[in-house]
Amino acid sequence: MRPRSDMRELRRCAAVLFLGVLTSLGASAQILIGQTTALTGPAASSVKETVDGAKLWFNRVNATGGIYGRRIELISLDDHASAEQAAANALQLITGRQVVALFMTRGTPHTEAVRPLLARYEVPLVGPLTGAALFHNPVDPWIFNVRAPYQREAEKLVQQLATVGMSRIGLAVSDDAFGEDTKAGALRGLEAAKLKPLFVEVFNRAKPSFAGLAQKAKAGEAQAILFFGAPEIVAEGTRQVRAAGSNAQIGTLSNNASAGFVKDMGANAAGTIVTQVFPNERSRGTPMVREAIELARAAGIHELTPAMLEGYASAKVLVEGLRRTGSTLTRPGLRQALEGLQRLDIGGLELGYSANDHTGFDYVEVSIISSDGRFRR
């Protein structure tokens, strides 16, 4: 019989070996990516579309061996569209779940709330679902944008309206960082077209009221109203404008380029102009779109939406960064790898990052919602 001291030593060694195996399996089995977003509430349908699009590519990568044999796992926490909760969720993901990166946070105030944690814990954020200029310039070393800036979209929208002869253009913007940012782009576009806004109506993001806006649109015979806000807010504002008797053209940005927004708009959807930051989701001539359509159909998704395509493109950028980081995956290493993506073609769209440029794609075009609820280019 072995002495008790020898038995204790054997048990201790076995325990150390067992823990070592578990640690090794944990390190090699999965790559944890964290997301805080509005999984419930009015924006939930749009969020689901972007997440579904991202998972098309993540699932494809996992099915073909993952990243150096490790599967990608996306951990999504619900922030209920609250900036405060977004920060709490991000802290939990970074320190509790030890994610290697954050991914597709939704909303300008929410991404602002998360931002201090990125530098503190040296965690990259890839593909935030916001085009706010403050995340582009000056360059934040830990934020890697994929979509074009909102200001670029707003300018393009004004340019389109001016081109077809519209001059009485009103602005309706939310009273937050998103509203200020989009307003700046729209005003710059109006100035370039030698126009002044018919009105600039600022509404409370939490409790919007559109009675005054509706009356101004009617009295001023507005030809167009540019609504910069969340999908359900734009839908409600449009209903009130129509109820007041105004037939003004409604225009909005790509944050509302989703099937969920079309549903929110209901009978008022047809004819609404929506800017887009990715190619036509039905354009099989674009390799990335064709690839996404095929993966979607294999997953039982019958039609790709612009929001799905944004999620898909963001996932492709993140995955390429993970691959180029190497088998020893660290947060700073991922940042360095992403900054090395100087000419990345993800299938008809080329992206370039550097230490001085984290903007991503600069693709912007205009679509209009047709009577069948599709975005027509």
Side-chain angles (χ1 to χ4, degrees), residues 25-327:
L25 286 173
S28 63
Q30 55 194 193
I31 296 171
L32 301 182
I33 305 298
Q35 179 188 35
T36 175
T37 189
L39 298 176
T40 56
S45 59
S46 178
V47 167
K48 184 178 185 305
E49 289 177 45
T50 55
V51 173
D52 284 349
K55 285 184 175 179
L56 289 176
W57 189 241
F58 290 155
N59 291 342
R60 170 71 171 180
V61 171
N62 288 340
T64 53
I67 306 293
Y68 297 101
R70 300 170 65 181
R71 293 174 56 82
I72 299 170
E73 181 184 342
L74 178 63
I75 305 169
S76 299
L77 299 182
D78 190 359
D79 57 32
H80 310 286
S82 161
E84 182 179 357
Q85 187 60 50
N89 286 353
L91 183 62
Q92 179 183 344
L93 290 164
I94 293 168
T95 61
R97 300 304 301 270
Q98 292 292 308
V99 299
V100 72
L102 294 180
F103 181 63
M104 289 199 322
T105 53
R106 178 181 172 87
T108 301
H110 313 80
T111 305
E112 275 190 292
V114 167
R115 190 177 190 175
L117 300 173
L118 306 179
R120 185 184 308 166
Y121 295 100
E122 298 188 329
V123 181
L125 165 59
V126 179
L129 299 177
T130 168
L134 62 95
F135 302 127
H136 291 258
N137 187 27
V139 174
D140 187 306
W142 297 101
I143 296 179
F144 292 84
N145 300 284
V146 173
R147 56 160 41 237
Y150 284 142
Q151 291 192 17
R152 174 92 171 81
E153 292 186 63
E155 286 184 70
K156 180 74 172 181
L157 184 52
V158 171
Q159 178 187 17
Q160 175 68 23
L161 295 173
T163 299
V164 299
M166 293 190 182
S167 58
R168 296 191 303 278
I169 302 170
L171 307 181
V173 303
S174 55
D175 63 346
D176 57 13
F178 170 75
E180 283 299 312
D181 192 53
T182 51
K183 181 177 72 173
L187 291 176
R188 190 160 58 242
L190 286 165
E191 183 179 5
K194 296 181 171 54
L195 297 173
K196 291 187 177 181
L198 181 63
F199 57 78
V200 177
E201 188 78 4
V202 179
F203 57 83
N204 184 285
R205 177 176 174 270
K207 296 180 179 180
S209 173
F210 297 109
L213 165 66
Q215 291 305 315
K216 288 179 183 178
K218 176 64 175 175
E221 297 182 337
Q223 293 172 297
I225 301 172
L226 306 188
F227 265 109
F228 302 142
E232 73 281 3
I233 291 176
V234 175
E236 178 56 30
T238 302
R239 279 191 285 272
Q240 293 192 33
V241 165
R242 294 288 183 256
S246 172
N247 293 316
Q249 173 79 61
I250 303 299
T252 190
L253 303 186
S254 64
N255 64 302
N256 294 325
S258 68
F261 173 66
V262 175
K263 184 177 179 181
D264 286 341
M265 290 288 285
N268 295 319
T272 300
I273 294 176
V274 183
T275 51
Q276 303 285 352
V277 289
F278 291 95
N280 192 323
E281 65 278 9
R282 295 181 296 279
S283 176
R284 284 183 166 272
T286 304
M288 179 188 71
V289 177
R290 182 172 63 251
E291 178 184 67
I293 289 173
E294 291 170 358
L295 290 177
R297 289 186 175 174
I301 300 172
H302 301 297
E303 189 165 16
L304 203 66
T305 69
M308 288 180 194
L309 198 58
E310 178 168 0
Y312 188 77
S314 297
K316 294 206 79 169
V317 171
L318 174 59
V319 165
E320 189 60 27
L322 292 170
R323 281 179 172 152
R324 297 196 188 193
T325 304
S327 56

Side-chain angles (χ1 to χ4, degrees), residues 324-353:
R324 297 196 188 193
T325 304
S327 56
T328 303
L329 186 58
T330 65
R331 294 164 174 173
L334 176 57
R335 170 192 161 187
Q336 185 176 7
L338 287 165
E339 288 185 340
L341 300 178
Q342 296 184 9
R343 294 192 66 181
L344 173 66
D345 186 340
I346 64 170
L349 276 181
E350 188 175 275
L351 171 147
Y353 293 133

